[in-house]
């Protein structure tokens, strides 16, 4: 341990000198205003030195002499840090003494007060003559202050960790204090290193930096690390820019007006110039300075949504773009966000930033206009090409040329790098071609020139040339073409598999190319086939056991075979290249992924092909996500190279579509967690395939119009396999929340299936119900109920009224009718479904209990709360036994029971509260805090709390949940509108009538409910909000307004649910009574105003 007396004496002596110098400086500034500005900065640095010196004294007083009980390694580390402080204190005192002498020289013999104009001029001149010496001392003071602060932070972190160990906590359970000091230390290390590089100040103690680095390495602060691709082991050059960027981002002395601004930096330039690689390198080098490192693929609006959705899931938020941005904007820990390939002109860059001042953002783009968004340092870098020495080194390292390099080797490298414009990506691919012995340093340019000429001729023919970017891209394309032709010329299974694989990958999205997608495209069809066979056998046995007519049995057996045959059809559709030209309509699957009885799928063969591509840098592996990616330029070139005709593009696009489709399981096999995770990941790949399928079809149509011959041309048609693909791709869109896109696909599938099979076929009914469910998710209940009614009629006609499928559809339609406000029809449907299910399945079956719960909702709408309570209680008891207490269907039933208790009131409110707390906690754990079902539970718990007179807590819960609902669901979603209605009701109970009236008035706008109510009726949620508004007006004493709303309600209720059934509802009688009360109140009010005393 450092000598205690030395530490105490050192801090005391330094403080004495600092205070003396500070006093001098203050008086000098007061006496000579002309030099005040120059000395202000020096005075601030002295003040900072005083502050850190006091902190050192305080830390020593608290912990300095308590090394006993520490582990030996911790004790040695702490002793080393105190030694560093001791050395720095003594050195710093010497600097301050020199500064004191300089200040006294500036003051002069006449003392501090300025004795006239001439004496003031002499002081200024003396100050200017000492300017260089003062500037040098300022730099030394800043260096000492930084070293002392760095060592102080390291000591604080050491003592906190040691204290944590004594309480039994581990590094894996770091508390906030440790994290805070850890990030502080990392930032100070980054700043002090950048200053050492920038000015080479010898006063910065390497020992202090080394010891502080050792302390920082003991704490792993980075929890999330996602970058577009792993940093290449041959990363070369731009080290000065990396240091400069680090200094800009971690510089604590940035202007005041920028300290509360989000730190952004833009790297723009040519494609293939190394922008993304540079950002990934920065992220890797500074990983421990950020709690989280994330990235956004800004290549398209769809990829932006997908990658932000992934970030949202990391934060436990719903997988959508708005939730991802909101999570980052409110994240207290330091984070870095890489926005990569921000070239989409349809998406303004500023819309991609999370709100607020938090975080660090790096942007890569080809758009020079985006440089205005930089907020730190220079704000931007322009990347065009590497320096000659850096380019030569990169090429030779990529080519695996052993160092040291001879003059002949360096000369050949220089010729190549100049020819390729010193472009990083082109150089890497040239080096890989040389390393794989496809060519040599000597003859590379000869092959390159031939590739260039072929490409230029082809692009001239297609009119696809022009512009600086195009010329630069051709450097990359020509380099790639050499590699690709070398692969094609190699007659081995791994290389031929690699060629097929990368052609197919070019129709996927360029990133997150996961191996499990490829293996699932083989394994999942096997699972589906086995399941379909079992279902077919069960159907046959069921038909025989019931002794049905032989014709009906034969039809069902044939139908089951047709369901199974779709996957049998997939099983034999393996192809080779000759097959491509013979049948352009058949679905494609590459050699590598074939799987049949003669030759089983070989995963080792797949990995060999991936390894071939990885060795050539055509794909890059990312450890963090266990996936591969392609550079966007390479991704484009594989797909658009001159040798790839439109017909061949169509075939490889279909191969990609088939692989994706085969990896997706159909219900009910799709409910596993792994299957759901895979579908979330597939969205960008599905979107890319669908987008390119559309482009290919357009090109084919254009080519047909341009043909002069009359020979027939085969055009891809929408057949059974295309329908199956579209249905599966719609599953992916639904799970990711893209309901409109899913609807488009499902409509195509439904039209195709219904036209060929009719509604009597189970497949047609299933896709119709699937589409109805998608309409429901969009709150388009009219369309959803219309389709469900169509399916119900088909079931009753072809299966009979007592068939289980008929009863299930009946119950589903009843739930939709209830949502539409058609309560009479809903009650009849549920009652009939329950009666039939009890006969077929028994009273305790899951489907029966679900129908019972649905009927309870209808009875609640009829204000028959006791009946609703009994039905919900029965459902809860049965589901708890059948499904378990935490199953989502059980939780829904518990929630309904709690609302029934709330409506009954009194002693059961406590039970309602306990039920809602249980439901909310389960949903938070299973679904996340922002999932719609969780938000509903928060709202209903708040309603119960308000019923228990805890209005303040009820308001707090609702105000926290509503912004999330507006962000994730939309302002016009029925859940958001209902939440706003209940919040306004809580405000009424707090006598905050004005706020409540504003909310109610906004909520009851008729157009918000048009998607669910019939043309001749009103939606019940709107009617409920109007009823609450009426009560608010009445309580507030606005009787005339209350009567006006009451009259509107009478008209609305008379048409509720359509068909004029509203007049039969108990609410109609309640309204009539309330209107009479209001009229009486109005008469009393008018009478009082006439006969009462006048007010002056």
């Amino acid at each position: 341990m450092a000598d205690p007396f030395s530490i105490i004496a050192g801090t005391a002596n330094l403080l004495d000198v600092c205070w003396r110098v500070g006093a001098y400086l203050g008086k000098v500034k007061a006496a000579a205003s002309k030099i005040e500005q120059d000395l202000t900065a020096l005075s601030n640095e002295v003040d900072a030195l005083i502050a850190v010196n006091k902190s050192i004294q305080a830390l020593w007083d608290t912990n300095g002499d308590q090394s006993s009980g520490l582990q030996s390694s911790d004790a040695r580390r702490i002793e080393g840090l105190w030694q560093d402080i001791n050395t720095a204190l003594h050195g710093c005192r010497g600097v301050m003494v020199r500064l004191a002498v300089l200040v006294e020289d500036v003051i002069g013999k006449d003392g501090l007060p300025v004795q006239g104009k001439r004496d003031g001029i002499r002081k200024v001149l003396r100050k200017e003559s000492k300017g260089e010496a003062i500037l040098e001392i300022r730099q030394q003071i800043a260096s000492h202050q930084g070293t002392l602060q760095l060592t102080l932070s390291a000591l604080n972190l050491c003592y906190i960790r040691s204290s944590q160990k004594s309480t039994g906590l581990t590094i894996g359970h770091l508390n906030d204090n440790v994290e805070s000091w850890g990030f502080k230390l990392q930032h100070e290390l980054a700043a002090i290193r950048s200053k050492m590089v920038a000015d080479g100040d010898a006063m910065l103690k390497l020992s202090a930096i080394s010891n502080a680095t050792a302390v920082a390495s003991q704490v792993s602060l980075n929890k999330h690390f996602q970058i577009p691709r792993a940093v290449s082991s041959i990363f070369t050059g731009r080290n000065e820019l990396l240091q400069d960027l680090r200094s800009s981002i971690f510089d604590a002395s940035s202007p005041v007006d920028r300290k509360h601004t989000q730190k952004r930096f833009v790297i723009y330039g040519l494609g293939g110039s190394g922008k993304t690689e540079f950002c990934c390198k920065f992220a890797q080098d500074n990983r421990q300075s950020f709690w989280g490192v994330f990235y956004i693929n800004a290549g398209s609006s769809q990829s932006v949504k997908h990658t932000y959705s992934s970030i949202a899931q990391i934060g436990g938020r719903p997988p959508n773009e708005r939730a991802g941005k909101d999570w980052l904007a409110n994240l207290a820990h330091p984070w870095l966000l890489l926005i990569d390939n921000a070239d989409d002109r349809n998406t303004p860059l500023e819309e991609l930033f999370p709100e607020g001042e938090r975080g660090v953002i790096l942007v890569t783009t080809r758009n020079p206009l985006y440089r205005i968004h930089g907020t730190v340092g220079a704000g931007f870098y322009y990347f065009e090409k590497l320096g000659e020495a850096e380019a030569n080194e990169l090429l030779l390292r990529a080519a695996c040329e052993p160092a040291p390099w001879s003059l002949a080797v360096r000369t050949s490298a220089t010729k190549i790098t100049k020819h390729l414009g010193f472009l990083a990506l082109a150089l890497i691919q040239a080096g890989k071609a040389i390393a794989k012995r496809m060519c040599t340093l000597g003859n590379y340019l000869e092959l390159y020139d031939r590739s260039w000429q072929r490409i230029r001729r082809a692009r001239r023919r297609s009119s696809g040339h022009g512009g600086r970017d195009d010329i630069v891209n051709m450097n990359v394309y020509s380099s790639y073409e050499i590699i690709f032709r070398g692969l094609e010329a190699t007659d081995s299974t791994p290389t031929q598999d690699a060629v097929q694989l990368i052609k197919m990958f070019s129709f996927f999205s360029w990133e997150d190319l996961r191996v499990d997608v490829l293996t699932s495209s083989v394994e999942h069809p096997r699972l589906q086939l086995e399941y379909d066979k079992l279902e077919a056998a069960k159907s046959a046995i069921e038909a025989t056991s019931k002794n049905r007519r032989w014709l009906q049995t034969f039809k069902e057996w044939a139908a089951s075979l047709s369901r199974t045959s779709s996957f049998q059809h997939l099983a034999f559709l393996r192809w080779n290249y000759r097959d491509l030209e013979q049948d352009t309509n058949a679905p494609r699957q590459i050699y590598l992924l074939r799987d049949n009885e003669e030759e089983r799928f070989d995963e080792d063969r797949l990995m060999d092909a991936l390894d071939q591509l990885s060795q050539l840098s055509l794909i890059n592996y990312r450890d963090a996500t266990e996936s591969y990616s392609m550079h966007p330029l390479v991704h484009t070139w594989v797909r658009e190279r001159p040798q790839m005709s439109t017909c061949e593009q169509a075939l490889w696009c279909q191969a990609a579509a088939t692989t994706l489709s085969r990896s997706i399981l159909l219900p009910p096999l799709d409910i596993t967690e792994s299957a759901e995770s895979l579908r979330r990941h597939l969205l960008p790949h599905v979107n890319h395939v669908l987008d390119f399928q559309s482009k290919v079809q357009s090109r084919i149509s254009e080519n047909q119009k341009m043909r002069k011959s009359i020979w027939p041309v085969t055009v891809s048609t929408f057949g059974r396999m295309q329908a199956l693909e579209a249905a599966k791709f719609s599953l992916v869109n639904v799970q990711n929340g893209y309901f409109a896109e899913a609807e488009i696909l499902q409509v195509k599938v439904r039209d195709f299936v219904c036209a060929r099979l009719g509604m009597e076929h189970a497949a047609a009914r299933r896709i119709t119900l699937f589409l109805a469910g998608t309409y429901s998710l969009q709150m388009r209940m009219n369309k959803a109920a219309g389709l469900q009614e169509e399916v119900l009629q088909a079931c009753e006609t072809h299966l009979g009224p007592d068939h289980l499928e008929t009863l299930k559809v009946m119950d589903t339609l009843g739930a939709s009718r209830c949502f539409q406000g058609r309560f009479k029809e809903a009650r009849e449907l549920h009652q009939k479904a329950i009666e039939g299910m009890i006969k077929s399945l028994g009273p305790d079956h899951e489907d029966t209990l679900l129908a019972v719960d649905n009927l309870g909702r209808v009875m609640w709408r009829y204000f028959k709360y006791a009946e609703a309570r009994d039905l919900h209680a029965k459902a809860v008891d049965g589901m708890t036994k059948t499904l378990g207490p935490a199953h989502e269907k059980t939780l829904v039933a518990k929630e309904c029971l709690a609302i029934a208790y709330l409506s009954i009131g009194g002693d059961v409110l406590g039970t309602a509260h306990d039920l809602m707390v249980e439901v909310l906690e389960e949903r938070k754990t299973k679904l996340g805090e922002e999932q719609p079902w969780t938000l509903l539970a928060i709202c209903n718990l708040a309603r119960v709390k308000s019923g228990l007179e805890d209005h303040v807590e009820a308001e707090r819960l609702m105000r926290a949940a509503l912004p999330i609902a507006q962000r994730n669901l939309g302002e016009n979603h029925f859940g958001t509108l209902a939440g706003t209605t209940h919040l306004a009701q809580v405000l009424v109970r707090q006598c905050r009538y004005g706020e409540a009236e504003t909310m109610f008035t906004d909520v009851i706008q008729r157009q918000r409910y048009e998607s669910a109510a019939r043309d001749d009726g009103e939606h019940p949620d709107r009617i409920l909000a109007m009823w609450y508004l009426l009560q608010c007006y009445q309580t507030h004493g606005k009787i005339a307004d209350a009567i006006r709303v009451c009259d509107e309600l009478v008209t609305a209720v008379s048409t509720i649910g359509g068909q004029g059934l509203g007049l039969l509802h108990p609410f109609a009688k309640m309204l009539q009574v309330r209107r009479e009360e209001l009229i009486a109140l109005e008469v009393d009010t008018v009478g009082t105003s006439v006969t009462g005393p006048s007010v002056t």
Side-chain angles (χ1 to χ4, degrees):
M1 179 67 68
D3 178 18
F5 181 75
S6 297
I7 297 293
I8 296 170
T11 56
N13 289 337
L14 181 58
L15 278 175
D16 179 60
V17 177
C18 287
W19 280 324
R20 182 154 41 92
V21 172
Y24 276 143
L25 291 171
K27 292 176 181 178
V28 168
K29 287 191 292 182
S33 58
K34 186 174 181 180
I35 61 174
E36 179 179 356
Q37 184 176 1
D38 295 330
L39 295 181
T40 297
L42 181 58
S43 180
N44 290 339
E45 283 155 6
V46 172
D47 291 341
L49 193 59
I50 292 172
V52 71
N53 199 56
K54 288 181 178 179
S55 298
I56 291 170
Q57 275 190 328
L59 184 65
W60 176 265
D61 293 340
T62 306
N63 300 294
D65 205 21
Q66 299 178 9
S67 59
S68 59
L70 297 177
Q71 294 182 4
S72 58
S73 60
D74 290 340
R76 286 194 301 271
R77 191 172 290 114
I78 289 173
E79 181 177 358
L81 289 168
W82 279 118
Q83 292 285 4
D84 291 334
I85 282 184
N86 193 30
T87 303
L89 286 171
H90 286 290
C92 196
R93 185 179 185 280
V95 174
M96 294 303 299
V97 169
R98 287 173 54 203
L99 178 60
V101 173
L102 281 173
V103 172
E104 288 175 354
D105 287 347
V106 171
I107 293 171
K109 295 179 181 180
D110 296 330
L112 286 170
V114 177
Q115 306 296 327
K117 184 175 181 181
R118 183 175 299 178
D119 184 49
I121 293 173
R122 283 199 296 266
K123 283 182 168 62
V124 171
L125 291 174
R126 284 196 297 270
K127 181 263 172 186
E128 290 178 349
S129 69
K130 306 291 184 180
E132 290 186 7
I134 291 176
L135 177 62
E136 180 184 353
I137 286 178
R138 277 188 58 194
Q139 292 172 343
Q140 291 175 356
I141 291 173
S143 295
H144 277 300
Q145 190 270 338
T147 303
L148 288 169
Q149 184 62 61
L150 175 72
T151 313
L152 179 64
S153 297
L155 278 167
N156 273 297
L157 185 57
C158 278
Y159 284 125
I160 292 171
R161 286 189 66 250
S162 299
S163 173
Q164 208 171 43
K165 287 180 180 178
S166 67
T167 59
L169 293 176
T170 65
I171 295 300
H173 297 82
L174 298 176
N175 59 30
D176 292 340
N177 202 16
V178 174
E179 275 197 348
S180 176
W181 278 106
F183 284 122
K184 180 179 174 62
L185 180 58
Q186 287 288 354
H187 286 195
E188 288 169 356
L189 276 168
I192 206 168
R193 284 174 181 148
S194 63
K195 288 176 182 176
M196 282 187 68
V197 173
D199 55 30
D201 194 334
M203 293 297 292
L204 289 171
K205 303 297 185 293
L206 292 175
S207 173
I209 294 175
S210 175
N211 286 333
T213 301
V215 172
S217 66
Q218 298 298 307
V219 181
S220 179
L221 300 171
N222 179 258
K223 304 301 180 187
H224 301 282
F225 188 73
Q226 294 183 336
I227 55 179
R229 57 176 175 268
V231 177
S232 172
S233 59
I234 60 172
F235 181 89
T236 303
R238 292 178 171 143
N239 291 322
E240 291 184 3
L241 293 182
L242 286 167
Q243 294 287 358
D244 179 68
L245 181 58
R246 180 189 296 134
S247 177
S248 298
I249 287 176
F250 297 113
D251 185 8
S253 61
S254 58
V256 175
D257 60 341
R258 286 194 171 191
K259 284 188 175 180
H260 300 291
T261 301
Q262 194 173 65
K263 294 183 177 181
R264 307 188 199 116
F265 203 90
V266 178
I267 296 95
Y268 76 95
L270 302 170
S273 58
K275 302 184 296 294
T276 300
E277 191 78 9
F278 176 84
C279 290
C280 291
K281 177 66 172 173
F282 177 86
Q284 179 176 281
D285 290 349
N286 298 279
R287 178 173 182 168
Q288 288 304 319
S289 297
F290 300 100
W291 179 85
V293 176
F294 311 100
Y295 88 98
I296 296 299
N297 175 6
S300 68
S301 58
Q302 289 288 349
S303 60
V304 167
K305 292 177 182 178
H306 180 71
T307 42
Y308 257 126
S309 296
S310 299
I311 292 174
Q313 287 181 297
I314 292 172
R317 302 290 182 88
N320 64 67
E321 179 182 355
R322 287 171 295 183
K325 288 179 182 176
D326 182 75
W327 181 67
L328 285 178
N330 293 284
L331 187 61
H333 300 297
W335 50 265
L336 171 66
L337 180 67
L338 310 183
I339 300 180
D340 195 30
N341 293 313
D343 304 317
D344 184 4
R345 297 181 181 274
N346 297 321
T347 306
L349 181 59
E350 56 269 25
E351 293 183 5
L352 304 184
F353 301 143
E355 293 181 357
E357 78 289 353
R358 295 179 179 177
V360 175
I361 298 176
L362 300 182
V363 178
T364 71
T365 179
R366 287 178 290 177
N367 190 342
L369 297 179
Y370 285 163
R371 64 181 185 267
I372 64 171
H373 293 288
T375 60
V376 294
F380 64 89
Y381 295 144
Y382 172 57
F383 278 18
E384 182 177 17
K385 58 186 179 180
L386 295 172
E388 182 176 316
E390 293 175 338
N392 288 347
E393 181 184 352
L394 178 59
L395 172 67
L396 294 173
R397 290 178 67 187
C400 299
E401 286 289 335
W405 300 307
S406 67
L407 179 59
V409 167
R410 283 186 277 118
T411 301
S412 296
T414 300
K415 291 180 180 178
I416 294 173
T417 55
K418 285 183 177 179
H419 213 75
L420 297 179
F422 304 108
L423 198 64
L425 181 59
L427 294 173
I428 291 172
Q429 291 178 334
K432 292 297 181 180
I434 295 167
K436 293 292 286 184
R437 301 295 182 262
M438 296 174 179
C439 55
T440 66
L441 277 170
N443 69 3
Y444 177 82
L445 287 180
E446 181 182 345
L447 294 176
Y448 174 85
D449 286 336
R450 289 204 298 266
S451 293
W452 174 281
Q453 294 301 330
R454 281 195 302 268
I455 295 168
R456 187 170 64 174
R457 286 194 298 269
R459 292 173 78 81
R460 279 178 176 172
R461 288 194 297 269
S462 63
S463 299
H465 63 281
R468 169 68 173 150
D469 274 4
D470 194 69
I471 297 297
V472 173
N473 290 347
M474 283 181 64
N475 285 329
V476 178
Y477 297 160
S478 301
S479 300
Y480 161 74
E481 189 67 16
I482 293 173
I483 295 178
F484 194 83
R485 283 180 171 271
L487 268 180
E488 286 185 320
T490 305
D491 189 17
S492 69
T493 299
T495 55
Q496 292 304 306
D497 287 342
V499 169
Q500 290 195 1
L501 198 56
I502 197 168
K503 284 183 177 180
M504 184 180 73
F505 279 165
S506 71
F507 292 91
F508 283 42
S509 176
W510 59 266
E511 63 176 352
D512 277 344
L513 301 166
R514 282 175 22 181
V515 176
D516 62 341
V517 173
L518 305 178
T519 55
S520 295
S521 72
V522 177
E523 296 166 358
H524 285 176
R526 296 179 196 160
L527 294 174
Q528 192 79 52
L529 182 60
E530 290 301 317
Y531 174 80
D532 287 343
K533 285 181 178 178
L534 289 174
E535 287 297 299
K538 284 170 59 178
S539 297
I541 293 171
E542 180 184 350
T544 304
S545 64
K546 292 185 178 181
N547 194 26
R548 294 185 177 178
R549 291 179 302 169
W550 72 269
L551 183 58
Q552 180 65 21
T553 302
F554 176 80
K555 285 183 177 180
E556 292 185 3
W557 174 76
S560 67
L561 282 183
S562 67
R563 290 196 299 270
T564 306
S565 64
S566 64
F567 279 95
Q568 290 174 337
H569 192 45
L570 278 172
F572 73 76
L573 280 170
R574 309 297 190 269
W575 50 270
N576 56 37
Y577 194 79
R578 295 188 188 90
D579 295 330
L580 296 182
E581 298 174 337
Q582 295 171 0
D583 183 6
T584 56
N585 285 322
R588 311 299 175 209
Q589 185 64 301
I590 62 176
Y591 268 134
L592 187 58
L593 301 179
R594 60 185 173 186
D595 182 61
N596 51 50
E597 294 180 359
E598 296 178 359
E599 184 175 3
R600 285 297 181 187
F601 165 69
D602 185 352
E603 189 168 349
D604 290 337
R605 180 178 169 183
L606 171 61
M607 300 311 297
D608 287 342
L610 290 168
D611 188 52
Q612 288 284 328
L613 297 174
S614 185
Q615 287 179 29
L616 294 169
S617 294
L618 296 176
I619 60 175
N620 300 286
Y621 186 70
R622 293 175 57 205
D623 291 311
T625 57
E626 297 182 345
S627 65
Y628 294 89
S629 64
M630 298 173 68
H631 192 284
L633 282 180
V634 177
H635 185 249
T636 300
W637 178 244
V638 179
R639 195 173 58 245
E640 302 288 350
R641 56 194 297 259
Q643 293 84 348
M644 182 82 83
S645 67
T646 302
C647 181
E648 192 178 356
Q649 284 179 333
L651 297 171
W652 287 110
C653 185
Q654 183 57 58
T658 299
T659 300
L660 293 174
S661 174
R662 288 166 61 88
S663 70
I664 303 168
L665 285 169
L666 289 170
L669 298 177
D670 65 329
I671 60 175
T672 64
E673 186 175 339
S674 61
E676 291 179 358
S677 174
L678 182 66
R679 286 197 300 276
R680 282 193 296 269
H681 159 77
L682 287 178
L683 181 66
H685 301 303
V686 167
N687 286 338
H688 196 272
V689 164
L690 290 174
D691 181 57
F692 211 86
Q693 281 181 336
S694 176
K695 291 178 180 178
V696 167
Q697 288 301 316
S698 296
R699 290 180 187 176
I700 291 175
S701 298
E702 289 296 323
N703 290 343
Q704 283 182 294
K705 293 176 183 178
M706 294 172 63
R707 288 179 185 271
K708 296 180 180 179
S709 65
I710 59 172
W711 294 104
V713 179
T714 304
V715 180
S716 178
T717 58
F718 193 83
R720 181 169 59 181
M721 297 313 303
Q722 286 75 19
L724 183 60
E725 283 178 5
K728 289 185 173 185
F729 292 165
S730 75
L731 274 173
V732 173
N733 277 285
V734 166
Q735 183 168 327
N736 285 279
Y738 295 99
F739 305 127
E741 292 81 355
E743 176 194 340
I744 293 171
L745 293 169
Q746 290 167 15
V747 167
K748 288 178 67 176
V749 176
R750 180 177 182 270
D751 291 345
F752 170 79
V753 174
C754 291
R756 283 155 181 77
L757 303 177
M759 287 299 290
E760 66 270 19
H761 196 286
R765 297 193 296 273
R766 282 199 295 269
I767 185 59
T768 302
L769 290 175
F770 190 16
L771 177 58
T774 303
Y775 283 137
S776 296
L777 291 169
Q778 298 176 79
M779 294 292 112
R780 296 161 64 185
M781 300 307 299
N782 289 340
K783 299 209 68 150
L787 291 179
Q788 291 163 356
E789 186 172 27
E790 187 178 341
V791 173
L792 179 59
Q793 292 172 357
C795 287
E796 289 176 336
T797 301
H798 301 287
L799 301 177
D802 299 323
H803 192 278
L804 183 58
E805 183 180 342
T806 305
L807 298 173
K808 287 183 179 181
V809 176
M810 194 179 295
D811 182 55
T812 303
L813 177 59
S816 296
R817 291 302 190 214
C818 179
F819 197 92
Q820 290 179 291
R822 299 171 64 172
F823 303 132
K824 181 176 181 295
E825 187 178 350
R827 180 173 61 179
E828 291 172 353
L829 287 167
H830 287 314
Q831 288 173 337
K832 188 174 180 180
I834 292 170
E835 182 181 349
M837 288 179 180
I838 290 176
K839 292 179 181 178
S840 300
L841 303 172
D844 299 323
H845 191 275
E846 171 188 345
D847 293 335
T848 308
L849 295 169
L850 181 62
V852 168
D853 197 45
N854 287 335
L855 178 59
R857 289 196 191 93
V858 178
M859 302 315 294
W860 184 87
R861 293 283 191 177
Y862 271 111
F863 303 154
K864 297 184 177 182
Y865 302 131
E867 291 184 44
R869 174 202 59 199
D870 294 342
L871 289 166
H872 292 313
K874 181 179 179 180
V876 169
D877 291 341
M879 289 181 181
T880 301
K881 296 174 184 176
T882 304
L883 303 174
H887 192 280
E888 184 52 42
K889 290 181 181 178
T890 309
L891 295 178
V892 170
K894 288 181 178 179
E895 191 168 29
C896 291
L897 178 58
I899 296 304
Y901 282 142
L902 172 64
S903 300
I904 292 171
D907 296 338
V908 295
L909 285 176
T911 306
H913 185 272
D914 293 343
L915 281 170
M916 283 314 309
V917 168
E918 178 188 352
V919 170
L920 178 57
E921 290 306 313
E922 287 289 347
R923 286 182 178 162
K924 280 184 177 180
T925 302
K926 290 185 174 182
L927 306 177
E929 296 191 358
E930 292 194 359
Q931 207 271 348
W933 284 109
T934 306
L935 297 178
L936 176 63
I938 292 173
C939 178
N940 285 330
L941 174 60
R943 293 171 64 189
V944 174
K945 285 185 177 293
S946 182
L948 290 166
E949 304 298 326
D950 190 356
H951 305 307
V952 173
E953 177 62 10
E955 181 184 354
R956 186 192 68 79
L957 287 171
M958 287 184 174
R959 288 198 183 276
L962 265 178
I964 301 172
Q966 290 169 346
R967 184 184 72 230
N968 294 346
L969 303 177
E971 294 186 353
N972 286 335
H973 190 279
F974 289 156
T976 307
L977 295 174
T980 305
T981 298
H982 293 304
L983 172 58
Q985 184 69 350
V986 171
L987 296 178
V988 170
R989 291 168 180 168
Q990 298 178 75
C991 302
R992 292 158 63 182
Y993 303 117
E995 295 176 63
E997 288 168 11
T998 300
M999 285 188 179
F1000 284 134
T1001 304
D1002 180 63
V1003 164
I1004 64 173
Q1005 296 178 50
R1006 181 174 281 104
Q1007 67 268 22
R1008 294 181 182 271
Y1009 303 89
E1010 288 176 348
S1011 64
R1014 287 169 58 106
D1015 293 337
D1016 60 344
E1018 292 284 359
H1019 192 275
D1021 284 6
R1022 180 173 184 266
I1023 289 176
L1024 179 65
M1026 293 174 68
W1027 171 249
Y1028 286 158
L1029 176 59
L1030 184 157
Q1031 292 177 321
C1032 178
Y1033 279 144
Q1034 181 176 350
T1035 308
H1036 198 191
K1038 296 182 176 181
I1039 305 304
D1041 288 328
I1043 292 174
R1044 174 178 55 80
V1045 174
C1046 188
D1047 290 340
E1048 291 181 31
L1049 269 173
V1050 170
T1051 303
V1053 170
S1054 67
T1055 62
I1056 185 172
Q1059 302 174 349
L1061 298 174
L1063 294 175
L1064 303 177
H1065 195 282
F1067 188 52
K1069 297 179 181 179
M1070 186 186 303
L1071 273 177
Q1072 189 61 39
V1073 173
R1074 178 59 61 94
R1075 191 178 189 284
E1076 292 172 0
E1077 293 176 0
L1078 290 170
I1079 294 297
L1081 284 170
E1082 185 180 40
V1083 171
D1084 291 343
T1085 303
V1086 172
T1088 302
S1089 63
V1090 171
T1091 60
S1094 61
V1095 180
T1096 59

